Amino acid sequence: KGATAVHFTSINLYATGEDMEVSDLTLSGASDQTLTSDLANAYITDEDGNQLGSTCSAFASTECSYSFSYTVPKETNKVIKVYADVLSGATTDAVTHIDMDTVATDITTTGVASATDITETGTATGSNMTVQAPTLVAAMANSPIAGSYVSGSTEVTVGRLLLTAGTSEDVKVTSIKVVSDDAATIAADGDSAASTNWQNIKLVDNN
């Protein structure tokens, strides 16, 4: 959720007979939930990352249309890439994809030399993308084990915190709160004599 410029689909174009100029392209979005709540700001690029046409802010009646000029040389493969934003309010576990449904009507191609309208063939179906929310699991490691330290000891490792991000995306941690207590259970108010036993507390990234 909230991810921008997600790569949804790659459309392979191959010209035969002569160079071809692609001038229009229509894409269809789909979701097993609500498409307009899941995806927005769909745009396409050539294989070098140059945007073709304008960004489609929303799928109108499940479609986004683009106008541009892009030449596919004779006997050459070219790839158009499709990107879109996954909205922060998207439904968790929604399955989405972006396709070119009917190639013969969803793309306009003209022969560069002949100026003839071309009847396109083939299929372009994007892979299913499942919307997930980012997650982070925090847990204390088993080391260091319980032990005793001499008063005045420095650079003592008193705990190791393990942070595990989910599979949906990287997670940025901006704050960590540490509480100390001399009882078996941390007091609700965090007030403990143990707080006077520590000084110069710091967190160190172990990576």
Side-chain angles (χ1 to χ4, degrees):
K1 293 184 179 183
T4 59
V6 177
H7 183 198
F8 273 82
T9 312
S10 290
I11 302 171
N12 186 66
L13 303 177
Y14 185 76
T16 59
E18 63 177 317
D19 295 352
M20 304 288 180
E21 181 184 0
V22 181
S23 56
D24 292 284
L25 177 66
T26 298
L27 297 174
S28 298
S31 171
D32 63 354
Q33 299 298 319
T34 305
L35 179 63
T36 53
S37 298
D38 294 336
L39 304 181
N41 301 322
Y43 66 95
I44 60 177
T45 73
D46 63 17
E47 54 194 8
D48 296 321
N50 301 305
Q51 184 168 343
L52 303 174
S54 301
T55 298
C56 176
S57 60
F59 285 89
S61 299
T62 75
E63 292 187 342
C64 278
S65 296
Y66 307 89
S67 295
F68 52 91
S69 178
Y70 182 62
T71 299
V72 181
K74 175 184 174 181
E75 311 300 337
T76 301
N77 282 297
K78 289 293 184 178
V79 177
I80 289 180
K81 298 181 179 181
V82 182
Y83 298 86
D85 296 346
V86 180
L87 299 175
S88 57
T91 305
T92 300
D93 294 328
V95 178
T96 64
H97 57 94
I98 300 176
D99 313 320
M100 188 165 58
D101 282 344
T102 308
V103 174
T105 57
D106 286 347
I107 186 170
T108 301
T109 311
T110 305
V112 172
S114 66
T116 301
D117 289 337
I118 305 300
T119 300
E120 301 82 6
T121 59
T123 58
T125 302
S127 300
N128 287 336
M129 301 290 189
T130 303
V131 176
Q132 295 290 328
T135 59
L136 181 72
V137 176
M140 294 302 297
N142 293 327
S143 64
I145 62 174
S148 300
Y149 295 97
V150 177
S151 297
S153 297
T154 60
E155 299 294 326
V156 175
T157 299
V158 296
R160 295 180 186 274
L161 179 64
L162 303 178
L163 301 177
T164 304
T167 59
S168 60
E169 66 172 333
D170 296 343
V171 176
K172 182 178 182 179
V173 178
T174 58
S175 65
I176 296 176
K177 180 179 181 180
V178 178
V179 179
S180 175
D181 203 323
D182 54 358
T185 303
I186 299 294
D189 59 5
D191 187 16
S192 166
S195 61
T196 63
N197 295 333
W198 309 101
Q199 61 181 5
N200 300 326
I201 300 170
K202 63 182 179 181
L203 301 176
V204 178
D205 180 2
N206 199 38
N207 291 331

